[in-house]
Amino acid sequence: MLDNFPRGTIVIEELEIGMTRHLQKVVTDADIEMFAQVSSDRNPVHLDDAYAQDTIFEGRIAHGMLTAGLISAVIGEQLPGHGTVYLGQSLKFLAPVRPGDLVRAEVEVMEIDHAKRRVRLDTRCLVAGKPVLKGEATVLAPSGKFD
């Protein structure tokens, strides 16, 4: 994975509206196979070239939640980072991710509620600059006062 910032924690007292972080990862056949194993989602559109060729995708695609997991990686490792607790996530899948695609997962701070330690984040994934996933996350951010 290619991160734009070091992994760690940004406590809520240091977060700012508009702050962004991202990572990039090439989705491999091995990633798709491991995700199928871990999730028990063995849909042939992800694993069987011949089957997938006859679908609307005209080829194999990665699991949508594998792609969404890259957003989780940015949130849990960079923004806010270690100690963050997911409260919710909306997702809209816009286009397929295929084996070999370089996915860029991006997270941006949209709103901060310091009293409740809640942060609303814009989340998105892109392939070749085109959106393949978009959504919004709400997290409980770590605090320098309590954690």
Side-chain angles (χ1 to χ4, degrees), residues 5 9-10 24 32-33 36 41 62 72 77 79 95-96 104 108 112 116 121 123 133 135 137 139:
F5 286 91
T9 303
I10 304 172
Q24 297 184 104
I32 294 168
E33 290 166 11
D41 179 353
S72 178
E77 294 287 341
L79 185 64
R104 179 182 172 103
E108 180 178 354
I112 304 168
K116 294 183 180 179
L121 303 164
T123 60
L133 180 156
V139 301

Side-chain angles (χ1 to χ4, degrees), residues 7 10 14 33 36 41 67 78 110 142:
R7 293 167 187 248
I10 304 172
E14 296 173 3
E33 290 166 11
D41 179 353
T67 305
Q78 294 184 33
M110 302 303 290

Side-chain angles (χ1 to χ4, degrees), residues 26-135:
V26 174
V27 175
T28 66
D29 286 325
D31 294 328
I32 294 168
E33 290 166 11
M34 283 189 288
F35 191 87
Q37 183 68 26
V38 169
S39 69
S40 299
D41 179 353
R42 302 204 52 83
N43 184 330
V45 75
H46 306 302
L47 302 169
D48 183 328
D49 287 315
Y51 176 91
Q53 198 60 43
D54 291 333
T55 68
I56 61 170
F57 301 111
E58 299 178 340
R60 287 189 315 113
I61 60 171
H63 301 74
M65 295 309 288
L66 188 159
T67 305
L70 299 177
I71 291 169
S72 178
V74 177
I75 291 171
E77 294 287 341
Q78 294 184 33
L79 185 64
H82 299 171
T84 301
V85 176
Y86 245 117
L87 299 175
Q89 173 79 57
S90 67
L91 298 169
K92 184 170 184 174
F93 299 96
L94 305 172
V97 172
R98 300 182 184 281
D101 281 350
L102 175 65
V103 178
R104 179 182 172 103
E106 301 177 344
V107 172
E108 180 178 354
V109 176
M110 302 303 290
E111 185 178 307
I112 304 168
D113 181 339
H114 289 276
K116 294 183 180 179
R117 291 177 44 197
R118 290 190 174 38
V119 180
R120 188 170 60 88
L121 303 164
D122 183 49
T123 60
R124 57 195 169 266
C125 290
L126 305 111
V127 171
K130 295 180 182 152
V132 295
L133 180 156
K134 69 178 181 177

